[in-house]
Amino acid sequence: MVTDPIGRRERKRLATHHALRVAALRLGAERGIRDVTVEEIATAADVSVRTFYDHFPSKEDAIIGFDAWRVDQLRDALASRPADETPLEALRVVMGQLFRESSEEWPLRMRAISADPALIGRMFVSFITYERALVEVIAERTGLDPERDPYPALVTAVATAAFRASMTTARASGGALDPATTFDAAIARLRPAFNPTVDGSGRAPC
Amino acid sequence: MVTDPIGRRERKRLATHHALRVAALRLGAERGIRDVTVEEIATAADVSVRTFYDHFPSKEDAIIGFDAWRVDQLRDALASRPADETPLEALRVVMGQLFRESSEEWPLRMRAISADPALIGRMFVSFITYERALVEVIAERTGLDPERDPYPALVTAVATAAFRASMTTARASGGALDPATTFDAAIARLRPAFNPTVDGSGRAPC
DNA sequence: CCGATTCACTGCACGATGTGCAATTAGTTC
DNA sequence: GAACTAATTGCACATCGTGCAGTGAATCGG
């Protein structure tokens, strides 16, 4: 058996982190996050209120599941996509992965989010952070200046829109539609708007 | 001179409302809304803190400028667009109008928003409310069931994405780009993805 | 014109949020 | 085992957001 390189201290911290997230997701999905206090979440995870705030800046963030390290992970994943892939296609692969990892949390998360519009806003706060990193990579891939050309910001915002609409529709269908599949279909529909040009930059000829 | 049908009481209320919004926009653009307290905004508008909360549920809402009556206004505007207009085109006209009215507030608003990611989230809280109403109308126009077909949610989310990306790019360009114009251009680019008739050329009109 | 009513504004109280600070305890390093 | 590091905790405090009741001005009905 290979010894795990992370020690007991780190393992306990991750356990606390996970317990808080699970408690927040469960309580939030059950009763709506507005009717849940931080004290209840902390008690359910058997830690103090102050410890909760050492792991998450707010109860909403515990639901959304934003982690700073994911930004780098997402940026690296996008940067390592094949250079001949269109930006929209690269975003499809990278963002679609979000639905696949920790997929068991998504039903609870979508249930909690649909119960409180404020959570959708908070979700976008994290998406904005993702987007800023992704726009950088897209700009580098296409050689466009994001301060002068709307393309990088637009294609990224549109991919995020597809992600969000997929969540909404999958949730509204009551499980009949799978969010990951719906997301792929949405991107497929949007493909004509971002047709690649001869130079392979992915920029439409306008 | 035609007598204004609204009385003095209502006029004073609107004046208070406007004073609070202007104070919030100015202070938020200057120092970032996080460093501004509700007490400061209320003092700047010469009312009590409690009165502020009678007009806005939070200081972020005072910046964003969400008003419930706009939802109906937006829904009616969309519903009264010509039936032969594509949903995307109808959304372009209706949402583009948001940039044009109270246009003098947009620079301050964009400045305040860009200074605080949480405001972007709050902006989406209001957009979600708009979207839900718009999705209804789109579903009615197209005869699609929004719980089974992703189209209404997708085209609306994409239009919102274009709106947001236009704000971002216009702000990043430092005034070189006009948000309303950039928005129209973004919608034009997205047109081929939502064109009901597959055009032989496969190219969007430029 | 005058009494009754409505409503914007106000102060007060209170639970909840989010953060700085210092102490404790357990894990890690040398 | 001693020194160090970091997760957890309690406490204090500013701020947020809301319920409630009171006041005064605007409006309405006679």
Side-chain angles (χ1 to χ4, degrees), chain B residues 58-80:
Chain B
S58 72
K59 59 186 178 183
E60 288 83 6
D61 291 275
I63 297 279
I64 296 305
F66 172 79
D67 289 313
W69 59 268
R70 277 182 195 276
V71 178
D72 296 320
Q73 174 188 316
L74 218 57
R75 181 197 285 115
D76 294 345
L78 184 63
S80 60

Side-chain angles (χ1 to χ4, degrees), chain A residues 63-84:
Chain A
I63 298 278
I64 296 305
F66 172 79
D67 289 314
W69 59 269
R70 276 184 196 275
V71 178
D72 296 321
Q73 174 188 316
L74 218 57
R75 182 197 285 115
D76 294 346
L78 184 64
S80 60
R81 294 300 305 171
D84 61 343

Side-chain angles (χ1 to χ4, degrees), chain B residues 17-33:
Chain B
H17 195 83
H18 187 250
L20 283 169
R21 165 155 302 157
V22 168
L25 275 173
R26 186 173 56 79
L27 291 171
E30 276 175 9
R31 291 154 42 193
I33 196 62

Side-chain angles (χ1 to χ4, degrees), chain B residues 9 12-13 16 34 47-48 50-51 54-55:
Chain B
R9 180 190 277 173
K12 285 193 175 182
R13 174 171 175 80
T16 301
R34 265 191 72 91
V47 293
S48 72
R50 192 63 188 81
T51 295
D54 278 341
H55 286 265

Side-chain angles (χ1 to χ4, degrees), chain B residues 139-197:
Chain B
E140 199 174 338
R141 283 172 70 105
T142 57
L144 297 172
D145 178 6
E147 294 189 2
R148 303 186 54 83
D149 198 304
Y151 181 89
L154 182 61
V155 67
T156 310
V158 163
T160 302
F163 191 90
R164 177 165 61 91
S166 303
M167 278 184 60
T168 303
T169 306
R171 164 74 188 154
S173 75
L177 294 173
D178 172 58
T181 308
T182 309
F183 175 69
D184 282 346
I187 294 293
R189 168 185 287 278
L190 293 164
R191 205 166 284 145
F194 298 96
N195 204 327
T197 62

Side-chain angles (χ1 to χ4, degrees), chain A residues 151 192-197 201-206, chain B residues 189 203-204 206:
Chain A
Y151 181 89
F194 298 96
N195 262 337
T197 53
S201 71
R203 189 183 177 193
C206 285
Chain B
R189 168 185 287 278
R203 285 274 175 267
C206 295

